[in-house]
Amino acid sequence: MVLNVIQSDDKGGCSETGHASQWSHEMRNNALLAGPERQLLLASHPLHDDIIEIKTPPIKCALLAIQEAIKFRRPGLSFVADCRHGKTTMMAMVSKAMAEMFPKVPYHIVTAAKHDKVTEKAVWSDVLLGFDIQAAGTAFDRKRAVRGSIITACKAVDGDAFVLYIDEAQNWGELEFNFLRDLTNELRQYSRRTLITVTVGDLKLKTVADSLRLLDKGLWSRFVRTVLTFSGISSMEDLRKVMSEYDSIQGCEYPKGSGVCYSEFFAPHAFGSGWRLANEAAFLWSALAGVATVHKRQLVDVGMQWIADSILAFLTLQLESDGAGFKPVQNDWIVAVESSQFETTFM
Amino acid sequence: MPIPHLGSLTWHERWAGFGEGGYTLIPKLMALNSVSRNYLAKELRYSQQVSFLHPKGLRSTPLGQRLREACLSEQLNFFFPLLASDDRLRFCRECLRGGYHAALNQLDVFERCPIHEQPLVDRCTCCGRSAPRFALSNPGNFPSWACNHCQSPIAGGAALENNLEAWRVPDKVSTIESFHRWTVAASSTVWFAAPQWITCKPGNESDRRAAFAKVLLHITPWEAQSCFRELDIEISSLLVTTYRVAAATESNYHRFAAAILPSSTFRTEFWDGWATADGGVRLPVDLGVSCELHAAYIWRCQFENVRSIGFQGCLGVPAENAFDAVIKRWLALLYTRYSVVLNDQVRYAIAQAVWRAAYRIAQAWRDHLARADEVGKRPIINHDWLARLGRWHGRTGLPLGLAIHRLGAERYKLYLFVC
């Protein structure tokens, strides 16, 4: 069968002339025509990665909130979300976007760890570990090293603010936030630099926030007063938006520069004849709702993990059925949702 | 932008200024990362004292590489031991109060800070004891802004260790860029052969280094010389007593430089015939002519002799055009380094020219003195000759290299290198 999809395009991405166009054309051929190149590309497709960077509506909301916090130098902002909702992905995506938006505001992501015994030394070691810097010396030394690193990062870009993204923040309590407050004060007082913290954690972070409100209002108001919920996909409309991202080369192009979006990569013939993944949103939502119904629950909020896994399973299972008249049925999505193990969320 | 790193340590080049030596980089790294001397010593993993002039023996980590980049040997190639000393840290108080120290301060040619024009000192401002070595020694004597004896800031002012905000790169740090360009120009000399001078010069090591720097400065065609003149540097007046001939072939090039050319150490098949077993040509000691004049003399005589050496054999041009051919080749050499004059015949011819030059200069001086004696006058400088020499210099732009080897307490040997 001749792949007329190679020349087709309603995405408007391949209109350049000359070398760039030729190179892009070759990339398309490699990605879409059966052969060893396609097999290699398939094996390393970003959809198989742990972090799949797709701009979902909740991520866009988080981005706006963090943007505002940085712009107005708010000291702390928190996000809570249920497990597998894509908190870490959100942080990775947002931090990169913020770095582009505010080039004079350096950042780093650290992961808060739970320790049997909370000590200042352990906390600063974790932070230095996140900074990818050797931790050595006493607790005081380590804190100074953190301070030096933050000042260095600010100096490198001529900035006066630093954003510290803290993942798994539910592992921290009063003591850890106290240490962080001291550092923030020192930076502001002696170095005239602002430390903005963005804490992200699971639902337990809300409990931590509540206890801090009772124990130390200063800490609470500084770090976890504003707790925003990072929701999953909560409606079919949101799901359609997410799935339409797969159909767009704006954020979901693979290989880069080829003009091939994720859904076209997996079903090139179907895509060429007008099929779009976004149109499958109703089927997927229905399949997810079906699982919820079996467990006598309502479908309220679905984590991105399950959505991404279901879509990947669907696209992989349908590789063989790709063709001009490709018409998936509801059962295909039920199988895909099953393989994503979405059911485990109700157990 | 995430935290900038240097290996496993926090670092960004903005903490350092242009031309900053390794000495102040160490306390900056220690303070920024809040690591101890022992920790940093382990990171660097050096077995013996490492001079910041030429840091050999450091691990090839990003940190070790950064310290190597800060050293003078990177700029001065193998001239650094002839120009600079690591015996003591020589610092400008104004610079060091901001945590900055220019590696160039270790050059003995500078008596004042090129940036602030304040005198360079090598003693603690507070207790007056000697400043530490410009080297990475044991952790107990690690580079620090504080005096090892009285523990107060060595340059005075506030303590810098925990005060990151006090670290300042001097505003006019770009002043030293031209000096750095000079060091690069002076060190890019390619050596093939050299007439040696044996001289008598009273004085200590730093005088010797300053003299060398001044002569090197004089014979290096570089616009930065004007910056040196502003610093009021006078050319030394070493007395040349004997001319000899030495060689620097490509094969023993590094050994030649590293050993500062003791003539007994570089005998090759090619050179054996030219080694000066006869002790060279002695000159009358009371010529009263400065070493830069000798340099100019030798330089010119080489060119005069090149014409008669018979280059046509190896260059494949008629004898009458041989001189121009040589000039063209040498000019090309300036840009292509070794690619032109690679064959031994050409080197041999150059060496021959140099050797003849040495004898001819000696003869010229003898004649000159004899004539002066006849008419009862003291020897004077032949300005006409110098003017012609200047024209040649302008035409070719060839730099010369020169080194001094200490023979004894007050005996030095000067080496002039042909590029």
Side-chain angles (χ1 to χ4, degrees):
Chain A
M1 182 166 37
V2 178
L3 261 182
N4 58 358
V5 288
I6 305 302
Q7 279 81 31
S8 82
D9 217 357
D10 57 352
K11 302 173 295 301
C14 301
S15 58
E16 300 88 350
T17 53
H19 288 300
S21 161
Q22 194 183 346
W23 179 77
S24 172
H25 189 74
E26 268 177 36
M27 294 280 280
R28 274 185 70 79
N29 280 345
N30 288 341
L32 301 181
L33 290 174
E37 287 90 356
R38 179 169 162 80
Q39 287 305 315
L40 275 173
L41 289 168
L42 188 62
S44 55
H45 198 283
L47 282 184
H48 299 300
D49 292 348
D50 281 346
I51 292 179
I52 304 165
E53 297 190 351
I54 292 170
K55 281 180 196 147
T56 62
I59 286 181
K60 286 176 186 168
C61 290
L63 197 132
L64 287 174
I66 295 173
Q67 181 190 350
E68 198 177 287
I70 295 174
K71 197 170 172 183
F72 297 108
R73 299 285 190 269
R74 302 215 168 110
L77 184 64
S78 285
F79 288 92
V80 292
D82 207 348
C83 61
R84 316 314 302 163
H85 270 48
K87 299 184 287 288
T88 308
T89 308
M90 178 271 279
M91 219 155 51
M93 286 179 71
V94 169
S95 59
K96 269 193 248 172
M98 288 302 116
E100 283 174 20
M101 217 174 281
F102 302 100
K104 290 199 170 185
V105 181
Y107 74 93
H108 217 92
I109 301 173
V110 297
T111 306
K114 191 103 187 150
H115 295 282
D116 289 344
K117 190 180 170 192
V118 178
T119 62
E120 193 171 3
K121 198 169 175 176
V123 170
W124 297 129
S125 300
D126 287 345
V127 174
L128 286 171
L129 191 72
F131 286 1
D132 206 10
I133 289 166
Q134 292 282 328
T138 62
F140 181 68
D141 290 338
R142 288 167 202 230
K143 182 179 163 189
R144 270 201 327 200
V146 171
R147 194 177 133 228
S149 302
I150 290 172
I151 295 174
T152 302
C154 290
K155 191 178 174 75
V157 291
D158 275 336
D160 62 354
F162 183 91
V163 186
L164 186 67
Y165 295 92
I166 305 169
D167 199 6
E168 308 293 357
Q170 75 279 354
N171 288 333
W172 277 9
E174 188 193 359
L175 265 176
E176 291 92 333
F177 281 112
N178 244 318
F179 301 144
L180 197 61
R181 175 173 61 186
D182 293 346
L183 176 75
T184 312
N185 288 344
E186 274 179 31
L187 281 167
R188 195 178 50 198
Q189 196 171 341
Y190 304 119
S191 308
R192 297 172 299 284
R193 277 160 181 124
T194 311
L195 180 68
I196 300 162
T197 54
V198 177
T199 45
V200 178
D202 66 17
L203 300 175
K204 277 180 265 173
L205 181 60
K206 211 151 194 171
T207 319
V208 173
D210 289 341
S211 66
L212 278 181
R213 188 158 51 89
L214 297 173
L215 292 166
D216 191 330
K217 213 147 191 175
L219 282 183
W220 170 78
S221 62
R222 184 174 295 209
F223 297 113
V224 283
R225 188 185 57 186
T226 316
V227 181
L228 302 173
T229 305
F230 179 66
S231 61
I233 303 302
S234 50
S235 70
M236 199 174 74
E237 198 42 48
D238 279 357
L239 183 61
R240 188 187 302 281
K241 282 180 189 165
V242 171
M243 291 171 88
S244 65
E245 288 284 326
Y246 283 69
D247 293 329
S248 156
I249 58 165
Q250 293 253 312
C252 294
E253 185 186 32
Y254 179 76
K256 285 279 176 215
S258 64
V260 178
C261 62
Y262 290 177
S263 49
E264 185 181 13
F265 183 89
F266 282 90
H269 294 93
F271 194 89
S273 59
W275 171 84
R276 293 292 178 269
L277 187 68
N279 297 337
E280 302 290 320
F283 284 141
L284 174 55
W285 190 255
S286 170
L288 292 165
V291 176
T293 310
V294 168
H295 290 272
K296 296 179 182 164
R297 304 276 282 276
Q298 269 201 325
L299 191 62
V300 181
D301 192 21
V302 186
M304 258 313 284
Q305 167 90 40
W306 319 119
I307 305 279
D309 283 357
S310 300
I311 292 173
L312 177 61
F314 172 80
L315 291 173
T316 313
L317 291 169
Q318 302 308 317
L319 266 174
E320 297 299 319
S321 326
D322 176 37
F326 177 60
K327 274 241 180 282
V329 291
Q330 176 70 48
N331 196 48
D332 295 334
W333 282 103
I334 291 173
V335 173
V337 171
E338 265 176 25
S339 71
S340 76
Q341 300 184 332
F342 172 60
E343 200 173 10
T344 56
T345 55
F346 299 110
M347 291 175 179
Chain B
M1 181 187 164
I3 311 277
H5 290 236
L6 182 70
S8 59
L9 297 166
T10 297
W11 179 252
H12 191 275
E13 278 311 307
R14 285 205 172 192
W15 287 118
F18 177 81
E20 184 160 351
Y23 189 90
T24 42
L25 295 184
I26 296 285
K28 281 182 181 177
L29 279 160
M30 277 166 49
L32 269 181
N33 293 278
S34 213
V35 289
S36 65
R37 297 166 172 206
N38 284 325
Y39 181 88
L40 209 60
K42 272 185 200 160
E43 279 287 297
L44 289 162
R45 232 187 263 174
Y46 58 97
S47 52
Q48 53 194 3
Q49 186 165 266
V50 177
S51 166
F52 285 123
L53 292 182
H54 185 48
K56 274 172 74 179
L58 293 177
R59 278 175 76 193
S60 57
T61 55
L63 176 58
Q65 182 57 35
R66 179 65 187 82
L67 288 177
R68 269 193 290 274
E69 282 166 13
C71 68
L72 276 176
S73 62
E74 283 289 309
Q75 300 153 39
L76 288 168
N77 213 346
F78 25 73
F79 280 135
F80 67 91
L82 298 160
L83 294 172
S85 155
D86 58 5
D87 292 347
R88 283 183 195 177
L89 178 76
R90 303 176 80 230
F91 59 90
C92 160
R93 288 200 184 98
E94 196 69 36
C95 287
L96 204 60
R97 277 175 194 164
Y100 173 85
H101 173 259
L104 221 58
N105 287 353
Q106 296 302 127
L107 296 184
D108 285 311
V109 73
F110 292 111
E111 283 159 10
R112 288 175 170 272
C113 167
I115 301 166
H116 296 105
E117 298 189 7
Q118 288 193 6
L120 292 174
V121 289
D122 58 2
R123 290 188 173 275
C124 171
T125 309
C126 191
C127 67
R129 300 224 205 154
S130 302
R133 284 182 71 94
F134 186 63
L136 199 56
S137 44
N138 60 52
N141 284 321
F142 231 50
S144 162
W145 289 301
C147 171
N148 282 337
H149 304 289
C150 66
Q151 304 304 324
S152 54
I154 198 164
L160 291 163
E161 276 76 5
N162 294 321
N163 191 1
L164 274 54
E165 300 305 319
W167 300 357
R168 301 227 184 294
V169 174
D171 293 338
K172 292 180 185 172
V173 74
S174 57
T175 314
I176 60 173
E177 278 183 33
S178 55
F179 298 106
H180 276 256
R181 283 203 297 276
W182 168 74
T183 59
V184 173
S187 61
S188 63
T189 309
V190 183
W191 302 348
F192 291 102
Q196 305 172 4
W197 314 349
I198 293 179
T199 67
C200 287
K201 168 80 172 76
N204 57 25
E205 276 290 301
S206 63
D207 286 341
R208 184 181 69 78
R209 284 191 292 266
F212 175 74
K214 287 163 186 172
V215 174
L216 188 60
L217 172 68
H218 183 78
I219 61 175
T220 307
W222 184 253
E223 71 268 19
Q225 288 185 27
S226 59
C227 310
F228 283 91
R229 283 195 198 104
E230 282 169 20
L231 292 172
D232 196 24
I233 293 170
E234 288 178 8
I235 301 295
S236 165
S237 57
L238 295 173
L239 291 181
V240 178
T241 58
T242 310
Y243 286 119
R244 300 175 67 173
V245 185
T249 61
E250 197 179 354
S251 59
N252 60 14
Y253 175 66
H254 292 292
R255 190 154 51 102
F256 185 71
I260 324 295
L261 306 173
S263 57
S264 57
T265 60
F266 60 94
R267 290 190 181 275
T268 65
E269 280 178 33
F270 158 67
W271 190 245
D272 269 348
W274 296 99
T276 52
D278 59 352
V281 184
R282 285 198 64 78
L283 288 172
V285 290
D286 60 345
L287 285 176
V289 179
S290 60
C291 57
E292 70 271 23
L293 183 61
H294 282 283
Y297 248 137
I298 290 179
W299 195 85
R300 182 180 181 275
C301 283
Q302 279 163 202
F303 281 88
E304 288 212 334
N305 279 275
V306 162
R307 197 192 293 272
S308 60
I309 288 299
F311 264 83
Q312 68 275 21
C314 48
L315 298 176
V317 292
E320 57 270 25
N321 299 330
F323 182 75
D324 285 341
V326 170
I327 295 295
K328 275 181 193 163
R329 290 223 167 190
W330 279 351
L331 279 175
L333 180 68
L334 278 181
Y335 303 103
T336 57
R337 297 290 175 98
Y338 298 106
S339 60
V340 179
V341 186
L342 274 181
N343 71 63
D344 276 353
Q345 274 185 311
V346 176
R347 285 205 209 107
Y348 184 82
I350 295 169
Q352 235 182 344
V354 173
W355 182 77
R356 286 194 188 185
Y359 279 87
R360 187 164 169 174
I361 293 165
Q363 192 56 48
W365 276 118
R366 282 205 181 109
D367 295 348
H368 188 61
L369 286 171
R371 280 199 303 277
D373 282 343
E374 278 174 20
V375 296
K377 288 181 181 173
R378 297 289 301 158
I380 52 166
I381 296 168
N382 185 338
H383 289 285
D384 180 46
W385 212 10
L386 276 182
R388 284 164 58 199
L389 188 145
R391 283 202 294 278
W392 277 117
H393 197 272
R395 177 174 167 185
T396 62
L398 293 174
L400 299 178
L402 190 135
I404 303 175
H405 175 56
R406 189 176 189 183
L407 296 174
E410 290 190 352
R411 285 182 64 74
Y412 300 86
K413 204 185 274 183
L414 279 150
Y415 298 84
L416 184 70
F417 304 106
V418 185
C419 168

